[in-house]
């Protein structure tokens, strides 16, 4: 009963603020405020507020939330331990699995990696000699003449 009264008061206050906002010629904001202020009344009319109030004051519901929280803690705790272990197995098994993944780049009968050796140029090619400043401007002049400038 109190929850329904509070929701009605909140909706009435919101609709009042929407009216003042509309009076100031801010119709889009007024419509948005009116929409938000009608939500509590809608929740009361559908019965959601009554259900939530019954749940909030029920010791059985709170015990259920505690059980759900404990289940969530167990689930996340076991996932964290599983990740730290790396999926299970003994230390030797994990080391063998780690070593086997490192040698996958080389084919069984090959003597070099499958991707081949990296090829690097020994030296950089020499930089092209700088053009004379007049040559640079002649190119620019040719472009400008081509466009009629």
């Amino acid at each position: 009963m109190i929850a329904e009264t509070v929701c009605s008061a909140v909706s009435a206050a919101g609709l009042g603020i929407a009216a003042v906002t509309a009076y100031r010629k801010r119709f889009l904001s007024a419509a948005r405020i009116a929409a938000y202020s009608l939500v509590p009344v809608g929740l009361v009319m559908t019965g959601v507020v009554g259900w939530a109030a019954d749940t909030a004051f029920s010791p059985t519901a709170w015990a259920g939330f505690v059980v759900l929280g404990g289940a969530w803690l167990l689930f996340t705790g076991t996932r964290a331990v599983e990740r730290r272990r790396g999926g299970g197995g003994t230390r030797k098994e994990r080391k063998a699995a780690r070593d086997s993944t490192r040698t996958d780049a080389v084919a069984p009968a090959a003597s070099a990696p499958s991707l081949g050796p990296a090829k690097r140029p020994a030296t950089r090619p020499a930089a092209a000699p700088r053009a004379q400043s007049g040559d640079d401007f002649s190119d620019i002049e040719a472009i400008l003449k081509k466009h009629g400038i």
Side-chain angles (χ1 to χ4, degrees):
M1 177 91 173
I2 292 177
E4 289 86 358
T5 306
V6 169
C7 287
S8 299
V10 167
S11 291
L15 289 174
I17 293 170
V20 170
T21 306
Y23 179 75
R24 293 180 180 171
K25 307 268 190 231
R26 299 184 65 201
F27 298 111
L28 187 62
S29 296
R32 191 175 300 121
I33 292 169
Y36 281 122
S37 66
L38 291 174
V39 169
V41 169
L43 291 174
V44 167
M45 295 174 92
T46 58
V48 173
V49 173
W51 173 81
D54 291 341
T55 303
F57 297 116
S58 169
T60 307
W62 283 106
F65 286 125
V66 169
V67 169
L68 286 174
W72 179 78
L73 285 174
L74 283 172
F75 179 71
T76 55
T78 56
R79 293 280 296 181
V81 169
E82 188 178 57
R83 275 194 201 136
R84 283 198 103 187
R85 285 189 182 169
T90 64
R91 181 176 290 183
K92 289 180 183 178
E93 290 172 349
R94 289 193 305 268
K95 186 177 182 200
R98 218 179 5 223
D99 292 339
S100 70
T101 58
R102 289 183 184 159
T103 59
D104 286 341
V106 178
S111 61
S114 300
L115 298 176
K119 295 181 181 178
R120 279 185 133 177
T123 59
R124 288 188 183 180
R130 297 188 100 180
Q132 298 290 341
S133 62
D135 292 339
D136 289 342
F137 289 119
S138 64
D139 293 339
I140 294 171
E141 287 175 1
I143 292 170
L144 292 174
K145 285 180 183 174
K146 179 181 173 185
H147 291 286
I149 297 176

